[in-house]
Each structure stands twice: as C-alpha cells, then as structure tokens.
Amino acid sequence: VLGEEEVDSIQCWLKSDKSFIRIGETFILTLTCQVAETEYEKVVPSESTLEPGVVALAPYEVVEGWHHPDIKNGTFRLFQYQYRLRLVGEDFFGKEVPVPSLEIKYKIERKINKENFDSREKSYQLPALQIKVASIVPKDAKDIMDVGNESFADVKTYRNRAYVAFVLA
C-alpha cells in the first residue's frame, strides 16, 4: 500500500520482436518489470537470476543479453533485460514452441520507526510466451509482420535526438 492507494508491488511482462521464427534464427526477447519503491516500502527483486549468463529458457539458447539502465518513475522503478535467443532442433518445425515461464523472486523491505524489516521471499510468475516456428518461410515474404524491439536505450536515444532537434530549431 502506497499512501492511501493500493498498487501491485511488482508487475512484469515479456515481449518478442518476432511472432514467427525459423530454426537457428535469432530473435530478441524483452523482459520489463515495474517495482514499487517509496520512502517506507521497497520491492527488491533477485535480479541475479535474470542475468543473460544465468537465465534458463530451454529449449531456447541464450546467445547474448543486456541489462538496460533502470528508469525511476514516481513511486516505481522499471528495469529491463533483453535476450537474443535461438532455437535449434529438428522436432520444432511448424509448431508453437513456448519460451518457458519465468519466476522472479523478490522481497519487500519495509521501514518502520527507522528500522528495516524484510518480508519472506515471494515469487512472481510470468506466463510462457508462445513463438511459432515456421516450417518454410521465404526470406522475402511480405505478409508476416513482427513487432518492434524498442528498449529503454532506444527511448533515451529518441529523447536525445528530439532535444537536439528542438535546440537547433
């Protein structure tokens, strides 16, 4: 509870930059989370399990990954990880192969009368994300649309460009 208004202490979502993939093709999976942080209460997720070298997303292979700088927005902090994944195997053609659900462990730190108290460890479960594996899709296909893969870093770049354009105008 923050002030008089009750809010979710943690919310996370997954997004893929492609809705269809081919075997061996890499794609970007973005994990974004919003956690509550106030003077009296703070959500502390265990981000070490989300690092690209640690996270397990079998049957997908994590090729590389990034952790973008956090963004503070009022009583919330947003953090974001991006993973470049690929799927290799003969059994996946023409099927939907889910990126497995992720479990994010966290604690809530509370400050009462200048003393800090930690809650017991809790977990937030993200649902699996379905990815369709195309059996035969030509590279020049024009009818398959994929969502963009904008990240916090892209937003910062756009903001800087807009500022420079404003100053020059």
Side-chain angles (χ1 to χ4, degrees):
V1 177
L2 301 173
E4 296 297 318
E5 181 180 333
E6 189 170 320
V7 297
D8 290 332
S9 54
I10 183 169
Q11 288 183 311
C12 298
W13 51 97
L14 286 173
K15 178 180 87 167
S16 171
D17 70 331
K18 297 186 178 178
S19 56
F20 277 86
I21 62 166
R22 290 185 292 273
I23 298 295
E25 176 184 21
T26 63
F27 66 99
I28 303 291
L29 179 72
T30 303
L31 166 68
T32 306
C33 290
Q34 171 181 282
V35 294
E37 286 189 0
T38 68
E39 182 180 345
Y40 303 104
E41 189 172 285
K42 180 179 179 180
V43 175
V44 182
S46 176
E47 291 187 56
S48 62
T49 60
L50 303 174
E51 290 295 328
V54 177
V55 71
L57 299 170
Y60 293 91
E61 174 188 2
V62 179
V63 177
E64 63 181 328
W66 311 269
H67 177 201
H68 296 290
D70 296 353
I71 294 177
K72 182 83 170 143
N73 182 11
T75 58
F76 296 103
R77 178 176 63 92
L78 290 104
F79 62 91
Q80 187 176 70
Y81 287 86
Q82 284 189 307
Y83 310 101
R84 183 178 308 276
L85 304 179
R86 98 173 130 209
L87 180 66
V88 179
E90 298 175 7
D91 302 332
F92 303 119
F93 288 108
K95 297 180 181 176
E96 283 194 4
V97 181
V99 173
S101 65
L102 277 173
E103 181 180 45
I104 300 171
K105 297 202 180 289
Y106 67 96
K107 289 184 178 186
I108 298 176
E109 291 180 356
R110 291 190 172 92
K111 191 174 193 178
I112 303 171
N113 297 330
K114 297 185 180 181
E115 290 192 39
N116 292 330
F117 296 94
D118 286 348
S119 69
R120 62 180 172 78
E121 189 170 79
K122 299 180 178 187
S123 66
Y124 181 91
Q125 191 74 36
L126 276 153
L129 179 68
Q130 296 294 328
I131 302 289
K132 179 77 173 160
V133 179
S135 53
I136 302 174
V137 178
K139 286 191 178 237
D140 61 347
K142 304 261 188 260
D143 58 344
I144 295 176
M145 303 280 292
D146 290 321
V147 296
N149 62 343
E150 290 79 20
S151 66
F152 290 168
D154 295 328
V155 172
K156 189 173 185 178
T157 301
Y158 298 149
R159 185 179 295 154
N160 289 341
R161 285 183 193 162
Y163 177 74
V164 169
F166 177 77
V167 170
L168 289 176

